[in-house]
Amino acid sequence: MEGAAVVEVRRVAGTEDDPRAAELRRAVARLRRDLAAHPAELPDRAIADDELAALDAMARTGAPELHRLRRSLLLIAGALGSVSALGPALTGVRAAIDQFGSVPRTGIGRD
């Protein structure tokens, strides 16, 4: 195989079928740990916990829907507000979700 790198994803019984799902589960687990360790009382912590559980469940199913992933991300970000201590872990969840595809951009609401 000269000149080209070939990446092959193999499905093995009992393992993660999709490396993107595995990455999402790792990112969700990190944010859950960081949130559990965060000492401040967040009024919407339960919302964040519920959506993190939903993200983990979607990742376990193997084929999560991008719009549902992004909806959960928005709810989590809104629930956590601007807690800077949770920023890196939240960024990790966003990056993991972005691996599932991109939403077409329009002139409205662009980053």
Side-chain angles (χ1 to χ4, degrees), residues 32-61:
R32 284 175 123 172
R33 283 191 308 273
D34 289 0
L35 180 58
H38 190 66
E41 181 61 37
L42 302 174
D44 294 327
R45 184 184 291 250
I47 293 169
D49 286 332
D50 289 347
E51 289 304 317
L52 287 166
L55 283 175
D56 186 61
M58 285 185 274
R60 287 178 189 271
T61 66

Side-chain angles (χ1 to χ4, degrees), residues 85-102:
L86 300 174
L90 183 59
T91 298
V93 171
R94 180 182 179 183
I97 288 172
D98 286 346
Q99 291 182 31
F100 285 91
S102 61

Side-chain angles (χ1 to χ4, degrees), residues 10-106:
R10 294 179 185 242
R11 293 178 183 243
V12 179
T15 63
E16 292 295 330
D17 290 339
D18 187 339
R20 300 172 303 172
E23 179 60 31
L24 178 57
R25 291 190 62 225
R26 282 190 294 273
V28 165
R30 177 182 175 205
L31 182 53
R32 284 175 123 172
R33 283 191 308 273
D34 289 0
L35 180 58
H38 190 66
E41 181 61 37
L42 302 174
D44 294 327
R45 184 184 291 250
I47 293 169
D49 286 332
D50 289 347
E51 289 304 317
L52 287 166
L55 283 175
D56 186 61
M58 285 185 274
R60 287 178 189 271
T61 66
E65 297 176 21
L66 184 59
H67 74 277
R68 179 64 177 103
L69 293 173
R70 291 193 185 273
R71 180 181 178 275
S72 288
L73 179 62
L74 287 173
L75 289 170
I76 293 166
L80 299 181
S82 61
V83 179
S84 61
L86 300 174
L90 183 59
T91 298
V93 171
R94 180 182 179 183
I97 288 172
D98 286 346
Q99 291 182 31
F100 285 91
S102 61
V103 174
R105 297 200 181 258
T106 63

Side-chain angles (χ1 to χ4, degrees), residues 1-10:
M1 282 193 211
E2 293 180 34
V6 176
V7 177
E8 182 178 346
V9 177
R10 294 179 185 242

